[in-house]
Amino acid sequence: MEEKILEIKNLRKYFSIKNGFLRGAAANVKAVDGVSFDLYKGETIGLVGESGCGKSTLGRTIVRLYEPTEGEVIFKGQDISHIKKSQLKPLRKQMQLIFQDPYSSLNPRMNVNTIVGEALLSHGLVKKGQEYVDRVSEIIEICGLSSYHMNRYPHQFSGGQRQRIGIARALALSPEFVVCDEPVSALDVSIQSQILNLMMDLQEKMGLSYLFISHDLSVVKHISNRIGVMYLGSVVEMAKKKELYNNPSHPYTRALLTAIPIANPMKRKVMAAISGEIPSNVNTPPGCKFHTRCPYAKEICSKVAPENKEINPGHYVVCHFAGEI
Ligand code: SF4
């Protein structure tokens, strides 16, 4: 039986707006609105969706950079949803984040030696001196840099090299679970595949589990075992990679797939496109949140919220007409 490293149960993260653009009325931005899934050891779940759909907030809520509003985050059998900061510290070693922007996520005043090694010292994993130097050079070499880079500063590296530093920093504490928040979207396409390959190699060597967040379905295809598609704070479809690409069943997933450029136009699948803007996640549409943009919407869609149906083993779709359209 596969070991679950993470169980997310009906997780919500709302941000309250007071005295804001709603003329004094208190309201909530429903950034994450009832997400549930399990992640297994050594697995990668790719999470995709348009900008503002809540995928980064979900990742940050899972690792407790944000306090969940409701729901449960169970990490290796322990409910960490509401534990105190002092209880979180030992867990921080096991859960890490790789950020999107390798330019702003590294402190320009710190050299690689400090960026990668400071967490080792603060968690008391190594002593200053040779042990520290050996451990930092070991990590940066695993991540494809050389030990002579240790005394250099972020501005002396290319974008791809800076992201290698970001990965080395995340892996320095030997975590088991890593949230990768758009880790390649700021990089040139030619560098993206190098970083993705590095992350897959490290996953195999270190037995890591990834939640890989991206707005780009062609990027998550490369690295994921399963893929979840998010819309307005909710996961509307989740399936194994092959099943999702061969049998996309939610109209929103189909629209995202249509947007992927394909070199050979003869292989392009014709799918109904969507139009219009993503609605506000303050006043989310009633019923199915996607009904304002869905080309298949019927009367029921604006009145009744659809359930999460399993249309094939492990393939879940939140749509009244899943498997029929
Ligand atoms: Fe479209 Fe209705 Fe399905 Fe929502 S429930 S995705 S509006 S068909």
Side-chain angles (χ1 to χ4, degrees):
M1 174 123 179
E2 290 173 290
E3 184 189 336
K4 279 182 197 170
I5 191 154
L6 191 69
E7 295 163 66
I8 307 298
K9 296 184 180 173
N10 201 23
L11 192 64
R12 294 176 202 275
K13 177 61 195 171
Y14 295 173
F15 297 97
S16 67
I17 317 171
K18 289 180 191 133
N19 305 317
F21 58 87
L22 293 172
R23 293 186 191 161
N28 288 316
V29 174
K30 296 171 189 162
V32 176
D33 199 14
V35 171
S36 303
F37 62 86
D38 297 332
L39 176 71
Y40 294 90
K41 192 166 172 55
E43 186 187 32
T44 300
I45 289 186
L47 204 56
V48 288
E50 285 166 288
S51 178
C53 71
K55 52 196 189 302
S56 293
T57 306
L58 174 61
R60 285 161 197 235
T61 308
I62 290 172
V63 295
R64 284 287 312 272
L65 289 184
Y66 298 141
E67 184 79 15
T69 305
E70 209 181 295
E72 290 172 42
V73 178
I74 297 171
F75 179 68
K76 292 171 66 184
Q78 181 188 1
D79 186 351
I80 62 164
S81 336
H82 299 288
I83 61 174
K84 292 180 191 144
K85 277 192 178 161
S86 56
Q87 294 171 293
L88 266 177
K89 191 170 178 194
L91 291 168
R92 292 261 177 252
K93 279 190 286 195
Q94 299 172 52
M95 299 189 295
Q96 287 288 306
L97 242 152
I98 298 171
F99 295 94
Q100 172 180 4
D101 188 349
Y103 297 88
S104 62
S105 65
L106 303 177
N107 186 333
R109 291 186 187 83
M110 286 185 181
N111 62 15
V112 174
N113 189 17
T114 314
I115 290 171
V116 175
E118 69 170 345
L120 288 170
L121 290 177
S122 74
H123 282 273
L125 296 178
V126 292
K127 293 193 185 80
K128 273 191 177 170
Q130 198 55 44
E131 191 188 356
Y132 174 89
V133 174
D134 290 347
R135 178 69 184 135
V136 173
S137 43
E138 184 193 357
I139 298 159
I140 64 171
E141 280 171 16
I142 289 172
C143 293
L145 296 166
S146 299
S147 44
Y148 64 79
H149 287 127
M150 278 174 64
N151 294 318
R152 295 192 184 169
Y153 289 81
H155 73 271
Q156 295 173 291
F157 294 94
S158 66
Q161 285 174 318
R162 287 188 214 202
Q163 196 53 296
R164 287 175 191 271
I165 299 167
I167 293 170
R169 175 178 58 185
L171 301 188
L173 299 173
S174 306
E176 295 185 47
F177 166 59
V178 183
V179 172
C180 315
D181 189 1
E182 302 256 16
V184 297
S185 55
L187 304 176
D188 286 352
V189 176
S190 58
I191 308 296
Q192 286 186 355
S193 58
Q194 289 177 20
I195 297 295
L196 291 173
N197 289 336
L198 170 69
M199 292 178 68
M200 288 193 285
D201 287 348
L202 294 171
Q203 179 173 39
E204 208 176 304
K205 274 184 201 148
M206 302 174 73
L208 299 166
S209 307
Y210 289 143
L211 181 66
F212 191 98
I213 293 165
S214 176
H215 63 277
D216 187 343
L217 261 167
S218 56
V219 168
V220 293
K221 186 179 187 179
H222 196 70
I223 195 166
S224 308
N225 303 106
R226 281 186 292 152
I227 295 175
V229 178
M230 265 189 97
Y231 186 76
L232 274 186
S234 306
V235 173
V236 294
E237 182 161 11
M238 183 170 269
K240 284 193 172 160
K241 169 171 70 178
K242 208 168 163 196
E243 167 75 6
L244 191 106
Y245 282 88
N246 290 340
N247 183 24
S249 296
H250 194 284
Y252 181 60
T253 310
R254 293 182 186 178
L256 290 182
L257 283 169
T258 310
I260 299 177
I262 293 176
N264 182 353
M266 302 303 286
K267 291 190 177 170
R268 189 182 296 277
K269 290 180 186 170
V270 179
M271 296 176 185
I274 53 168
S275 56
E277 291 292 312
I278 188 164
S280 155
N281 48 13
V282 177
N283 294 311
T284 46
C288 172
K289 290 181 191 173
F290 189 57
H291 82 261
T292 55
R293 300 170 81 192
C294 180
Y296 304 99
K298 298 196 169 60
E299 201 182 338
I300 187 176
C301 303
S302 60
K303 293 185 176 134
V304 181
E307 288 181 2
N308 197 14
K309 288 188 207 163
E310 188 173 17
I311 58 162
N312 279 324
H315 186 172
Y316 294 89
V317 187
V318 183
C319 171
H320 289 302
F321 306 104
E324 299 167 30
I325 50 178

